[in-house]
């Protein structure tokens, strides 16, 4: 003889409450996009442009994307003086250690013209960085702006890949500093502002003399 058991109304309400509670505790699904627009003054000094999102107050979740631009504010530029591999050329530091799988596209510009690009899919960022891994650049390359477009696919703990971890970027510059500050992978310098040409100085001097002459009259 088959025995059938039916739940009571109380049991059904309890089961529904447990289900709702479980859904409330489950991680929310995010698909946010951020724009980090950073202006660089040299010597490790950087600031956010007006209207930019702040990476230091952002927590990224699986599926989130960001566009991070780092631009020099004056006429200087970065120059690769020795060909080599640079790690990680453009990557945030993150507060939580883990393995992060990302898709990214890195683009370097000089005077608004694209001079280099590199893209990769399903790249693993190990430990505490988020962005590019090793980027190979040739000597003579000059650029004054860096742009990283990144999608975070997943983030898991170092010791247990079955556990998700948070992703909290810190700083406005790459984890090892601006390109010229990376002492672990040297080979990029921040070129100084070009000196005024002699003819420009001569013209400036004539303008000054003319102004002084008019004042004496």
């Amino acid at each position: 003889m088959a025995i059938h058991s039916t739940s009571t109304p109380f049991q059904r309400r309890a089961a529904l409450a447990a289900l709702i509670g479980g859904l409330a505790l489950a991680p929310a699904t995010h698909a946010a996009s951020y724009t980090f627009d950073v202006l660089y003054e040299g010597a490790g000094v950087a600031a956010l442009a007006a209207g930019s999102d702040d990476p230091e107050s952002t927590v990224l979740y699986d599926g989130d994307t960001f566009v991070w631009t780092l631009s020099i504010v004056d006429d200087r530029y970065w120059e690769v003086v020795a060909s080599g591999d640079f790690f990680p050329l453009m990557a945030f530091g993150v507060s939580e250690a883990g393995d992060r799988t990302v898709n990214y596209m890195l683009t370097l510009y000089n005077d608004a013209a694209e001079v280099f690009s590199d893209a990769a899919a399903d790249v693993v960022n190990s430990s505490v960085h988020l962005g590019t891994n090793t980027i190979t650049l040739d000597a003579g390359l000059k650029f004054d702006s860096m742009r990283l477009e990144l999608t975070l696919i997943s983030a898991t703990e170092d010791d247990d890949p079955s556990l998700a971890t948070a992703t909290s970027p810190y700083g406005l510059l790459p984890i090892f500093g601006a390109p010229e500050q990376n002492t672990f992978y040297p080979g990029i310098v921040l070129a100084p502002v070009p000196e005024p040409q002699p003819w420009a100085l001569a013209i400036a001097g004539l303008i000054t003399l003319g102004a002084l002459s008019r004042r004496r009259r």
Side-chain angles (χ1 to χ4, degrees), residues 131-186:
T132 65
N133 286 338
T134 300
I135 299 294
T136 302
L137 299 176
D138 294 329
L141 180 69
K142 299 176 182 179
F143 56 101
D144 56 20
S145 180
M146 309 165 63
R147 175 186 171 97
L148 180 67
E149 302 172 52
L150 183 142
T151 300
L152 178 62
I153 305 301
S154 65
T156 59
E157 291 189 3
D158 267 338
D159 299 331
D160 189 347
S162 67
L163 296 178
T165 187
T167 300
S168 307
Y170 63 80
L172 302 181
L173 296 173
I175 185 171
F176 292 153
E180 82 281 6
Q181 296 181 305
N182 188 341
T183 57
F184 298 101
Y185 296 86

Side-chain angles (χ1 to χ4, degrees), residues 25 97 187:
L25 293 174

Side-chain angles (χ1 to χ4, degrees), residues 62-143:
D62 295 358
D64 285 356
T65 63
F66 66 75
V67 177
W68 174 25
T69 303
L70 177 61
S71 304
I72 300 174
V73 297
D74 52 34
D75 291 333
R76 288 176 293 175
Y77 54 86
W78 288 292
E79 182 174 1
V80 181
V81 294
S83 300
D85 296 334
F86 300 92
F87 175 86
L89 183 66
M90 194 172 189
F92 283 116
V94 292
S95 300
E96 307 86 2
D99 288 334
R100 294 171 173 84
T101 302
V102 305
N103 298 339
Y104 74 77
M105 174 174 285
L106 171 71
T107 310
L108 306 182
Y109 299 89
N110 194 38
D111 289 335
E114 181 180 322
V115 294
F116 175 88
S117 66
D118 181 72
D122 295 326
V123 173
V124 176
N125 292 165
S126 297
S127 193
V128 290
H129 79 284
L130 177 69
T132 65
N133 286 338
T134 300
I135 299 294
T136 302
L137 299 176
D138 294 329
L141 180 69
K142 299 176 182 179
F143 56 101

